[in-house]
C-alpha cells in the first residue's frame, strides 16, 4: 500500500511539473480538475452525477426539456429583430384634402399635382405643400398655387405598400424617430433584465424566473400589437428586452443543470439554431403581412403555446439542493426517472439527503471575494465584450454591400445553422476549449483579411490586378459573412462555457454579470458606427484586436469536457485546498 501511495504521489508531481510551463491555464485547471486519489467535499458532485446517470443521461424527460426551449427561442429572435421591419422609411406627402371641398371627385394624382410642389425632375417634394386658398377649382387649375409651407396636420403615403409604425404615428418631416433611441431602449432593457432575472434565478429558482420572463413576452410582446402611441411602444419594447435576457439566462441555467456534459453542448447548440429559425419566421411574416399590427399578432401568437409550461416545466434539482430543499429535489428526480422508466437506487438518494442538509447562502459579492470566481468572471466578461463587439461590427459591415434588407437577415440565418451544427462534432472530438479557440482564430483571420482587401474600408490599398471590382466586392462579402458565422458559433460556445464554469448557487447571477459586458461591447460597436470618418478601418481594426484578445483569453480557460458542475462556493474552496 505504501508503494502504491508513493507511486500516486510521484505521478501527481510529474503531472503538475509538466504544467508549470503554462502557469496561467494551470491555475484555473487546478481549481476544476480534482487530482485522483485526493478526496474532498466535491464528492457531492460525483453523487449527483451518479443520480443523473441513474435517472437517464438523455431520456424522454431530458429530450422533452430541451424541446420546451425551442418555441421560446423562436419567439426571442422574433421579438428581438422585429423593430427592423416596423420602422421602414416612407415618402410622406402633405395631406391636402382641403382641395376636395371644391371637387370631391379629384383623384389622388390630380390632388397631388395641384397642391404639392415639384422639383426640377418632376417628382413631388416631401414635407411641403401649397398654402390653402379660398379660390374655386378652375382658378387654381388656371393660375396655379405659388406660396408653400410645411405640412400642418396629417400626411399621405401613396407609395407605401405596407402599414408601418412610420406612417402609423407620422414619424416624418422632422418627427423621425432616432434609431439610436430604439437601440438604447433595447440595450437598457437587456442590461436591467440581466441583473434582475439573474438575481431572481438564484434566489427564487430557475422555474419562476422562466415563467416571469415568458409572462413578460406574453403581455408585452404579444400586446405590442395593441399600443396606441410611440411612447407606449417603446415601453413595451423595453420590458420585452428584459424578458428576452431573463429567459436566456434562466433557461440556460436550467438546461445546464439537468444535462450531463456530452449532451449539454448538443442541446444548447441545437436550441440556438432555433434563433435562426425565428429570424426566418419573422422574415416570412414581414414579407407577407401588410400591417405591422398583424405582424405582432400572428408572430406573437405562438407565445400562447407556452402557457402549459406552468405545469410541465421542472425545477433544477441542483438549485433545490444548494437551497436545502432536499425532499423537493428527490421528488423532481423521481419524477424524471419515472418518465425515463428508470429507478434511482435508494443508497444514492440517501447520499443526496446527507449532502443537502445545509442551505448555501451567497450573494453577488462572493464573485469578488473568491479568487476563482473573480478570475473566471473577469476572463469570461472580457471575452463576452470582445466577441460581441466583433460580431456586431461585422454584422453592420454586411449592410454596406448593397444587399436588400431581407437578404441581409436571411443569408446569415440560413448559414449559421449548419455552422453551429458542425460545432457539435468539433466539441465531441476536440473539446469545448479548442473548438471555441478555432472559431475565434478563424474570426481573427477574417478581420485581418478584410483589412488587407481593397474594399476593406480605407485600409491598405493593395493592388489586386487579377480581380475585378465586382469580384472584389463578392470576395469581401463572403469573407465578412465567414467571420460573422465564426463569431456566431463562438457566442454559442461561450455561453455553454460560462454556464459550466460558474457554480450552481451563483450561475444565473454570474450569467447576468457577464451580460453587462455583452451589452457594453454592443454599445461600443454602435458608437463606432457613429464615427463617420474612417469608420470601416477603425471598426475592423478593433474587431481584429478584440477577436485576437478573445482567442488569447480562451487559451487561459480550462477544458470543461466531461467535467462535473460545481454547486457551491465551498466546493470551489475545497478544490483549491485539495489542489
Amino acid at each position: 500500500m505504501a508503494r502504491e501511495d508513493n507511486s500516486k504521489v510521484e505521478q501527481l508531481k510529474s503531472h503538475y511539473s509538466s504544467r508549470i510551463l503554462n502557469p496561467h491555464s494551470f491555475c484555473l485547471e487546478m481549481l476544476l480538475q480534482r487530482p485522483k486519489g485526493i478526496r474532498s467535499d466535491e464528492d457531492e458532485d460525483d453523487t449527483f452525477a451518479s443520480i443523473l446517470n441513474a435517472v437517464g443521461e438523455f431520456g424522454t424527460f431530458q429530450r422533452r426539456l430541451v424541446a420546451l426551449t425551442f418555441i421560446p427561442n423562436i419567439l426571442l429572435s422574433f421579438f428581438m429583430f422585429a423593430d427592423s421591419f416596423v420602422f421602414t422609411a416612407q415618402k410622406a406627402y402633405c395631406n391636402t384634402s382641403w382641395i376636395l371641398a371644391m371637387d370631391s371627385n379629384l383623384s389622388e394624382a390630380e390632388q397631388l399635382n395641384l397642391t404639392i410642389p415639384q422639383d426640377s425632375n418632376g417628382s413631388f417634394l416631401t414635407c411641403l405643400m401649397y398654402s390653402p386658398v379660398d379660390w374655386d377649382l378652375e382658378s387654381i387649375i388656371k393660375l396655379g398655387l405659388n406660396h408653400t409651407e410645411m405640412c400642418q396636420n396629417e400626411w399621405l403615403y401613396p407609395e407605401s405598400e405596407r402599414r408601418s409604425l412610420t406612417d402609423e404615428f407620422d414619424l416624418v418631416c422632422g418627427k423621425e424617430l432616432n434609431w439610436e433611441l430604439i437601440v438604447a431602449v433595447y440595450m437598457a432593457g437587456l442590461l436591467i433584465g440581466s441583473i434582475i432575472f439573474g438575481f431572481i434565478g438564484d434566489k427564487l429558482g430557475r422555474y419562476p424566473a422562466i415563467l416571469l420572463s415568458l409572462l413578460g413576452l406574453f403581455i408585452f410582446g404579444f400586446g405590442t400589437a395593441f399600443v396606441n402611441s410611440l411612447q407606449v411602444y417603446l415601453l413595451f419594447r423595453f420590458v420585452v428586452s428584459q424578458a428576452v435576457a431573463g429567459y436566456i439566462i434562466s433557461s440556460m441555467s436550467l438546461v445546464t443543470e439537468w444535462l450531463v456534459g456530452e449532451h449539454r453542448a448538443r442541446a444548447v447548440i441545437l436550441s440556438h439554431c432555433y434563433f435562426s429559425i425565428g429570424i426566418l419566421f419573422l422574415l416570412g411574416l414581414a414579407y407577407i403581412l401588410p400591417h405591422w399590427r398583424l405582424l405582432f399578432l400572428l408572430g406573437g401568437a405562438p407565445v400562447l403555446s407556452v402557457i402549459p409550461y406552468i405545469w410541465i416545466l421542472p425545477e433544477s434539482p441542483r438549485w433545490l439542493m444548494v437551497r436545502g430543499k432536499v425532499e423537493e429535489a428527490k421528488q423532481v428526480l423521481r419524477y424524471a426517472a419515472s418518465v425515463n422508466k428508470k429507478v434511482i437506487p435508494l443508497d444514492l438518494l440517501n447520499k443526496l439527503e446527507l449532502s443537502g442538509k445545509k442551505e448555501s447562502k451567497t450573494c453577488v459579492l462572493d464573485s469578488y471575494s473568491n479568487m476563482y470566481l473573480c478570475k473566471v468572471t473577469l476572463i469570461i466578461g472580457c471575452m463576452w465584450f470582445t466577441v460581441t463587439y466583433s460580431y456586431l461590427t461585422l454584422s453592420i459591415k454586411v449592410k454596406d454591400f448593397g444587399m436588400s434588407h431581407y437578404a441581409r437577415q436571411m443569408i446569415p440565418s440560413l448559414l449559421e445553422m449548419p455552422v453551429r451544427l458542425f460545432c457539435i462534432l468539433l466539441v465531441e472530438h476536440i473539446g469545448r476549449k479548442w473548438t471555441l479557440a478555432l472559431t475565434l482564430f478563424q474570426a481573427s483571420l477574417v478581420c485581418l483579411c478584410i483589412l488587407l482587401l481593397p474594399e476593406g474600408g480605407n485600409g491598405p490599398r493593395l493592388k489586386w490586378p487579377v480581380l475585378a471590382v465586382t469580384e472584389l466586392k463578392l470576395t469581401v462579402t463572403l469573407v465578412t459573412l465567414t467571420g460573422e458565422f465564426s463569431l456566431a458559433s463562438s457566442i454559442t460556445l461561450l455561453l455553454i462555457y460560462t454556464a459550466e464554469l460558474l457554480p450552481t448557487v451563483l450561475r444565473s447571477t454570474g450569467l447576468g454579470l457577464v451580460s453587462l459586458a455583452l451589452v457594453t461591447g454592443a454599445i461600443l460597436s454602435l458608437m463606432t458606427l457613429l464615427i463617420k470618418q474612417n469608420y470601416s478601418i477603425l471598426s475592423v481594426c478593433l474587431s481584429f484586436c478584440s477577436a485576437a484578445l478573445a482567442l488569447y483569453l480562451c487559451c487561459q480557460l480550462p477544458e470543461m469536457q466531461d467535467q462535473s458542475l460545481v454547486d457551491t462556493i465551498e466546493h470551489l474552496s475545497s478544490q483549491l485546498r485539495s489542489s
Side-chain angles (χ1 to χ4, degrees):
M1 292 296 293
R3 291 181 179 179
E4 292 180 1
D5 293 338
N6 292 334
S7 175
K8 291 180 180 179
V9 171
E10 292 298 328
Q11 290 177 3
L12 290 175
K13 288 181 179 180
S14 174
H15 173 75
Y16 291 146
S17 61
S18 65
R19 295 299 188 93
I20 293 177
L21 296 176
N22 190 5
H24 298 287
S25 61
F26 173 58
C27 180
L28 282 179
E29 284 195 50
M30 283 180 60
L31 296 175
L32 284 181
Q33 294 181 353
R34 182 180 60 208
K36 294 180 180 179
I38 297 177
R39 298 190 62 82
S40 68
D41 293 337
E42 189 192 359
D43 294 333
E44 297 175 21
D45 294 333
D46 296 333
T47 300
F48 201 89
S50 301
I51 292 177
L52 287 181
N53 290 332
V55 169
E57 290 187 357
F58 199 69
T60 303
F61 179 85
Q62 288 85 353
R63 288 195 293 268
R64 188 178 68 183
L65 175 64
V66 173
L68 289 176
T69 65
F70 292 165
I71 294 178
N73 282 343
I74 294 175
L75 292 171
L76 292 187
S77 56
F78 176 86
F79 289 124
M80 286 172 66
F81 300 102
D83 288 329
S84 302
F85 299 93
V86 297
F87 287 101
T88 56
Q90 302 285 358
K91 284 189 176 182
Y93 302 104
C94 300
N95 185 359
T96 56
S97 56
W98 59 269
I99 199 173
L100 297 179
M102 303 172 186
D103 188 353
S104 59
N105 295 323
L106 285 175
S107 66
E108 187 178 79
E110 293 173 335
Q111 178 182 341
L112 293 177
N113 281 324
L114 293 174
T115 58
I116 301 297
Q118 303 179 18
D119 58 12
S120 57
N121 59 9
S123 59
F124 295 108
L125 297 176
T126 59
C127 305
L128 285 177
M129 60 179 285
Y130 288 118
S131 301
V133 295
D134 294 332
W135 304 349
D136 55 65
L137 184 61
E138 294 182 0
S139 300
I140 294 176
I141 296 175
K142 182 177 180 180
L143 301 176
L145 301 176
N146 296 320
H147 299 288
T148 61
E149 61 182 40
M150 298 294 294
C151 300
Q152 298 297 325
N153 297 314
E154 299 177 353
W155 288 261
L156 299 175
Y157 306 90
E159 300 178 11
S160 176
E161 298 179 356
R162 292 179 174 85
R163 184 74 167 177
S164 68
L165 277 168
T166 304
D167 45 0
E168 178 83 11
F169 301 123
D170 292 327
L171 303 177
V172 292
C173 301
K175 298 181 180 180
E176 290 86 358
L177 183 64
N178 191 351
W179 185 254
E180 286 75 18
L181 175 62
I182 301 175
V183 176
V185 169
Y186 191 81
M187 290 297 175
L190 289 178
L191 196 66
I192 296 175
S194 299
I195 299 173
I196 293 177
F197 281 94
F199 177 81
I200 292 175
D202 282 334
K203 293 300 179 182
L204 302 181
R206 301 1 177 172
Y207 173 76
I210 291 177
L211 291 186
L212 283 175
S213 60
L214 292 177
L215 180 63
L217 288 179
F218 175 74
I219 296 177
F220 295 95
F222 183 71
T224 305
F226 305 98
V227 299
N228 56 4
S229 68
L230 179 62
Q231 291 75 18
V232 177
Y233 176 86
L234 293 177
L235 174 62
F236 274 49
R237 297 299 293 163
F238 175 72
V239 180
V240 165
S241 61
Q242 294 184 50
V244 167
Y247 181 80
I248 292 175
I249 291 173
S250 305
S251 63
M252 185 67 197
S253 300
L254 183 65
V255 171
T256 299
E257 292 161 4
W258 263 111
L259 301 180
V260 295
E262 62 182 27
H263 301 289
R264 190 182 304 133
R266 297 177 191 170
V268 174
I269 294 174
L270 183 61
S271 65
H272 274 211
C273 292
Y274 280 79
F275 282 106
S276 300
I277 294 177
I279 295 177
L280 297 176
F281 175 62
L282 171 63
L283 288 172
L285 288 181
Y287 185 79
I288 295 173
L289 298 177
H291 203 294
W292 70 273
R293 293 188 187 273
L294 289 176
L295 179 65
F296 280 102
L297 277 175
L298 297 181
V303 77
L304 298 174
S305 63
V306 304
I307 294 178
Y309 284 34
I310 299 173
W311 298 279
I312 62 178
L313 197 67
E315 181 56 273
S316 166
R318 283 187 179 272
W319 180 85
L320 292 172
M321 286 296 301
V322 299
R323 288 298 171 186
K325 302 179 180 181
V326 182
E327 289 302 321
E328 294 182 31
K330 292 166 65 175
Q331 183 179 358
V332 171
L333 289 169
R334 287 195 190 100
Y335 173 72
S338 65
V339 173
N340 291 338
K341 298 181 180 179
K342 301 282 186 178
V343 177
I344 306 176
L346 185 60
D347 57 337
L348 285 179
L349 289 177
N350 292 334
K351 290 181 181 180
L352 186 67
E353 186 171 358
L354 291 175
S355 64
K357 289 183 177 179
K358 294 182 180 180
E359 176 183 356
S360 299
K361 295 182 178 181
T362 56
C363 65
V364 69
L365 296 178
D366 293 326
S367 299
Y368 302 97
S369 60
N370 184 277
M371 181 185 68
Y372 168 84
L373 278 179
C374 184
K375 190 169 186 177
V376 165
T377 303
L378 287 175
I379 291 179
I380 293 295
C382 290
M383 291 186 68
W384 272 114
F385 173 83
T386 54
V387 170
T388 305
Y389 176 86
S390 301
Y391 176 75
L392 193 56
T393 300
L394 292 186
S395 298
I396 294 172
K397 187 170 179 59
V398 172
K399 297 180 180 180
D400 299 334
F401 298 139
M403 301 170 63
S404 68
H405 184 64
Y406 288 92
R408 289 198 304 264
Q409 298 284 351
M410 183 176 63
I411 294 176
S413 300
L414 287 174
L415 297 182
E416 282 178 9
M417 285 190 287
V419 172
R420 283 194 172 107
L421 292 175
F422 181 69
C423 285
I424 296 178
L425 299 177
L426 293 178
V427 166
E428 293 178 351
H429 286 83
I430 64 177
R432 290 154 169 74
K433 178 177 181 177
W434 298 114
T435 303
L436 178 58
L438 181 63
T439 58
L440 291 173
F441 174 76
Q442 185 176 1
S444 304
L445 192 62
V446 165
C447 293
L448 183 61
C449 291
I450 294 174
L451 287 173
L452 297 179
L453 288 171
E455 297 297 325
N458 299 327
R461 293 291 177 176
L462 302 181
K463 294 182 178 180
W464 299 75
V466 179
L467 296 177
V469 175
T470 304
E471 294 173 333
L472 276 174
K473 187 175 181 179
L474 178 61
T475 301
V476 176
T477 304
L478 293 176
V479 170
T480 306
L481 287 174
T482 302
E484 187 178 354
F485 304 152
S486 300
L487 289 169
S489 302
S490 300
I491 291 175
T492 301
L493 295 168
L494 188 55
L495 186 60
I496 300 172
Y497 231 136
T498 304
E500 291 179 337
L501 286 171
L502 296 171
T504 300
V505 71
L506 283 175
R507 183 163 289 120
S508 290
T509 304
L511 286 170
L513 288 176
V514 298
S515 297
L516 304 183
L518 181 151
V519 175
T520 305
I523 292 174
L524 180 61
S525 178
L526 294 173
M527 289 177 62
T528 310
L529 174 64
L530 297 177
I531 303 176
K532 302 300 182 181
Q533 186 176 6
N534 292 332
Y535 156 70
S536 186
I537 183 66
L538 174 63
S539 60
V540 178
C541 277
L542 291 177
S543 296
F544 169 72
C545 296
S546 297
L549 177 60
L551 176 60
Y552 169 75
L553 293 174
C554 176
C555 296
Q556 311 310 311
L557 294 174
E559 176 58 70
M560 290 301 297
Q561 190 86 343
D562 300 325
Q563 294 292 325
S564 58
L565 298 178
V566 179
D567 288 327
T568 65
I569 295 180
E570 289 77 11
H571 289 173
L572 294 177
S573 301
S574 65
Q575 284 182 336
L576 180 60
R577 288 194 301 269
S578 64
S579 299

